[in-house]
Amino acid sequence: MSKLSHIDSANRPTMVDVSEKSATLRLAHARACVELPDAVLAEVSGDEIATRKGPVFSTAIIAGVMAAKRTHELIPFCHPLGLTSCKIAIEVQDNLAVVDCRCKVEHKTGVEMEALTGASVAALTIYDMLKAVSHDIVIRDTRLIAKSGGKEDFSRDA
C-alpha cells in the first residue's frame, strides 16, 4: 500500500510540499448527476427550469464556479489555486441533470478537487432550488472523469 500524501513521517496530517515541482498545465473534469423525479422534470423548459428563486441551472453554474474558486477554503490541505478556467455545463438526459465541471490552471498541483467541488456545489444548488417541488431529488455518481498535466494522467469512460 502506498504512503498517503497528506501524512508526514510522524503520522500527522500535513499539506503536501509542492515547492520542488514544476508548474504545468493542469486540467480536470468532474461530473455529478442529479436524479430528477417526474414532478421536477415537468418543470423543465428547453435547457432550464424557472422557479421563484430564479433560473435553476444558470444559478447552479454560478454557484459551482464560485465554489471551485474557493476549494482551498473548504477542503483541508488543498493549495489555493488561481484557476485560469472553470466551465460548468448542465444537461438534462432522461431523468438526470448531468453536471460537468472542467477546470484549468498552470500550477504545481492538480485541479481535481476544484472540479469535484464545482460539480458538487452545482448539484447541491439544483437540489436547493428545487426542493420545494420535490424532496425525492437524489444527487449521485459524483466522480472524477479525467485529469491531466501532473505526474499521472487519468481518464475513465464518461
Side-chain angles (χ1 to χ4, degrees), residues 115-146:
L116 286 161
T117 300
S120 297
V121 170
L124 287 166
T125 301
I126 291 169
Y127 184 97
D128 178 57
M129 294 187 74
L130 294 172
K131 67 182 184 265
V133 178
S134 175
H135 283 96
D136 291 327
I137 300 165
V138 177
I139 298 171
R140 62 180 190 153
D141 300 330
T142 301
R143 61 186 177 161
L144 181 68
I145 301 297

Side-chain angles (χ1 to χ4, degrees), residues 59-72:
T59 304
I61 288 168
I62 294 166
V65 171
M66 289 174 63
K69 290 168 39 174
R70 299 182 76 162
T71 298
H72 69 281

Side-chain angles (χ1 to χ4, degrees), residues 2-56:
S2 65
K3 183 179 180 258
L4 297 174
S5 61
H6 289 83
I7 303 294
D8 69 12
S9 59
N11 275 337
R12 294 178 303 237
T14 188
M15 185 180 219
V16 173
D17 182 354
V18 297
S19 59
E20 300 300 318
K21 289 181 158 187
S22 296
T24 59
L25 179 64
R26 312 288 183 123
L27 307 170
H29 172 198
R31 175 174 292 158
C33 295
V34 184
E35 191 175 317
L36 304 174
D38 290 340
V40 172
L41 287 170
E43 301 296 319
V44 176
S45 177
D47 59 356
E48 186 57 274
I49 301 175
T51 70
R52 285 182 284 166
K53 289 184 173 184
V56 174

Side-chain angles (χ1 to χ4, degrees), residues 88-110:
I88 296 180
I90 301 172
E91 182 180 329
V92 177
Q93 299 174 2
D94 299 320
N95 69 326
L96 297 177
V98 179
V99 180
D100 285 296
C101 180
R102 290 176 171 82
C103 292
K104 183 190 310 186
V105 71
E106 176 105 8
H107 209 281
K108 297 178 177 194
T109 189

